Amino acid sequence: MKITELLTKHTIKLNLESSQKENVIEELVSVLDQAGKLNDKEGYKEAVINREKQSSTGIGEGIAIPHAKTASVKEPAIAFGRSKDGVDYESLDGQPSHLVFMIAATDGANNTHLEALSRLSTLLMREEIRKQLLEASSEDEIIDIINQHDKDDEEEEQAEEASAPSAKGKILAVTACPTGIAHTFMAADALKEKAKELGVDIKVETNGSGGIKNGLTAQEIEDAVAIIVAADKQVEMDRFQGKHVIEVPVTAGIRRPQELIEQALKQDAPIYQGKGGGAAASEDGAAKGKGGGFYKHLMSGVSNMLPFVVGGGILVAVSFFWGINATKPGDPTYNEFAAVLSNIGGTNALGLIVAVLAGFIAMSIADRPGFAPGMVGGFMATQAEAGFLGGLIAGFLAGYIVVLLKKVFAGLPQVLDGLKPVLLYPLFGIFLTGIIMNYVVNTPVKYIMDGMTHWLEGLGTGNLVVMGIVLGGMMAIDMGGPINKAAFTFGIAMIEAGNFGPHAAIMAGGMVPPLGIALATTFFKNKFSKRDREAGITNYVMGLSFITEGAIPFAAADPARVIPACIIGSAVAGGLSQFFHVTLQAPHGGIFVLFFTTNHALLYLLSILIGAVVTALILGVLKKPVPTEK
């Protein structure tokens, strides 16, 4: 994709009116909004300002690149504003910014869009391009300048491969910023340009929104003189154990590339010894940022567990097509293929979910050395019937045990560094985690899980309805965020414990927001734009598939009306499902598993339909008519 498919004449403002940062952000947000690139102008503006609070995007050399990646963006775009007098943008070099590129990326921006956005940031590092942009007299000339210099990734990679090795030794670098759009690639480009100027061989790995590119190999790390890590988010660090590692913010890679390269050549940096060693500063910094701490580690486990839940759950649901007891030998409805599906999906895929949850929680805490102890601890929780709670404890226990081991073994001779990840961490990590799980955790947690299951089974209809209302409503509060995931995780835990009622309320609550919005766009056409009505059709499919996130763009555009309507409808659906004593044995799948895995399929469908209608009616009443489109 060409950069000018994102930067158009309609998103260029040649003469910015203000000289103040906040007002310039408002100007360019308005440009994007008027060009039809945003779902929610205020939501996008807030995301841009929040990014500025992390660190200024005024990178010096007269450039500022405010940016945000959010559901408030309708389609990826770039706005360009120019100020001959300069904008006080709190730049790193203290100089005013004359060229301001505002990048708007959608939550679901694909690699093609992200590559174009990253190429723009690297182009701006070149002085001749900046000069041409300052002197351009029209929007068309701006577009022509960008097109003239816009190279694709293959050309850039070929240019890098053509560079000759340096006698000074090879330096490696990793760059990463929180959004992975602009600073990541600007730091990489600055380091490569300066290395070329100094005659130094360098390879730079970028951790951008499109994933890791130009990844460093084990042999390259082994042969490197030193490694520069210019990052404002967590990157994989344990691979650098035993090497001289320079850790700096990503902006240092942009502003001080020569200083960093010369420091690396002199090996003027501590030897990295893992998170328990001398280079733990970046760990602390990452933990303080967005997504750090308990929730970050928990979500790492949950997100990696979900493929097992979805794949395994749907296979189990399909096995019920031949009958609810078709997987049991000796039953009149027994079917061999149904039994195989149940074995693959249930015994194996779903049987792994607690271990996978624990393994990735531990890995999030302690990097790769935490994975094996976490998996073993989670599997022990499964074997002891300690369930999800046991798995959560195992994951955090294993992770912090390995962090402690890294500190304990930090003083060992450097010659033993290679033994730590392959022998010492797994041996002692698995041993200590296993001992504590066996003698301290599993038995009392099993009693807790059994007690919770018996308590739920003993609830009367009134209490069940209240529980259904709460769980259903939780699914719509943040539509895929921490509250939604907390309810979903609880439902999976109850399925794993043999109680199938709570998850019926949870799936119903998760299906209602997109379905309710879809109904509203169909029956209250005057309350929605043409684009929203088209998106509403997609929401029918997403709602029926139990993908709550389909409602997010509507909620982002009008949170005051959409979110309450969705919560009320989801709570109604969840409460009704429990009023009808519906149970659900599949953790995912929506309408596609409904008739195979519920005891009252039609009543369950009615619960979901009533909840969706409630949401649609509330939206029909609360939303204001949109202007008539020509």
Side-chain angles (χ1 to χ4, degrees), residues 494-575:
M494 289 300 96
I495 287 178
E496 207 250 347
N499 189 305
F500 305 115
H503 202 71
I506 288 163
M507 188 181 288
M511 293 171 70
V512 161
L515 286 175
I517 288 169
L519 289 173
T521 61
T522 299
F523 293 101
F524 301 100
K525 291 184 178 357
N526 66 322
K527 303 295 181 77
F528 297 90
S529 67
K530 181 181 178 182
R531 185 181 293 272
D532 286 341
R533 294 196 299 271
E534 291 171 351
I537 296 172
T538 305
N539 265 9
Y540 278 114
V541 178
M542 299 185 83
L544 292 172
S545 304
F546 183 38
I547 302 174
T548 316
E549 287 82 351
I552 288 177
F554 292 87
D558 189 7
R561 296 179 179 88
V562 174
I563 292 177
C566 290
I567 292 173
I568 293 170
S570 293
V572 168

Side-chain angles (χ1 to χ4, degrees), residues 83 126 128 149 153 172 213 282 293 399 432 455 558 566 587:
S83 172
R126 296 168 57 182
E128 70 271 19
H149 297 284
D153 288 347
L172 303 180
K213 286 193 171 184
S282 66
L432 293 173
W455 174 72
D558 189 7
C566 290

Side-chain angles (χ1 to χ4, degrees), residues 245-267:
V245 177
I246 301 167
E247 293 187 77
V248 293
V250 69
T251 50
I254 300 171
R255 298 299 307 147
R256 301 188 283 114
Q258 181 169 343
E259 177 186 329
L260 294 175
I261 290 169
E262 291 174 348
Q263 185 181 347
L265 289 174
K266 295 175 186 176
Q267 295 189 322

Side-chain angles (χ1 to χ4, degrees), residues 247 270-281 410:
E247 293 187 77
I271 293 176
Y272 187 77
Q273 313 222 352
K275 289 187 179 178

Side-chain angles (χ1 to χ4, degrees), residues 363-383:
M363 186 173 177
S364 177
I365 295 168
D367 281 340
R368 195 172 298 170
F371 186 67
M375 282 285 288
V376 171
F379 188 68
M380 290 179 69
T382 301
Q383 297 296 97

Side-chain angles (χ1 to χ4, degrees), residues 20-50:
Q20 297 302 311
K21 177 177 180 177
E22 293 77 10
N23 295 336
V24 166
I25 289 175
E26 175 68 34
E27 283 186 58
L28 290 180
V29 170
S30 296
V31 168
L32 289 170
D33 188 49
Q34 290 166 11
K37 305 299 183 181
L38 305 178
N39 286 316
D40 177 9
K41 177 183 175 181
E42 292 304 316
Y44 175 69
K45 178 182 173 182
E46 182 180 356
V48 171
I49 292 172
N50 286 339

Side-chain angles (χ1 to χ4, degrees), residues 254-334:
I254 300 171
R255 298 299 307 147
R256 301 188 283 114
Q258 181 169 343
E259 177 186 329
L260 294 175
I261 290 169
E262 291 174 348
Q263 185 181 347
L265 289 174
K266 295 175 186 176
Q267 295 189 322
D268 182 15
I271 293 176
Y272 187 77
Q273 313 222 352
K275 289 187 179 178
S282 66
E283 168 76 3
D284 296 337
K288 292 175 185 176
K290 183 179 179 181
F294 176 86
Y295 177 68
K296 168 182 170 290
H297 304 316
L298 175 61
M299 284 301 101
S300 177
V302 171
S303 62
N304 283 285
M305 173 195 75
L306 279 179
F308 294 83
V309 172
V310 175
I314 291 178
L315 286 176
V316 170
V318 172
S319 74
F320 294 142
F321 177 79
W322 288 271
I324 201 72
N325 295 315
T327 61
K328 298 177 181 178
D331 190 272
T333 62
Y334 174 75

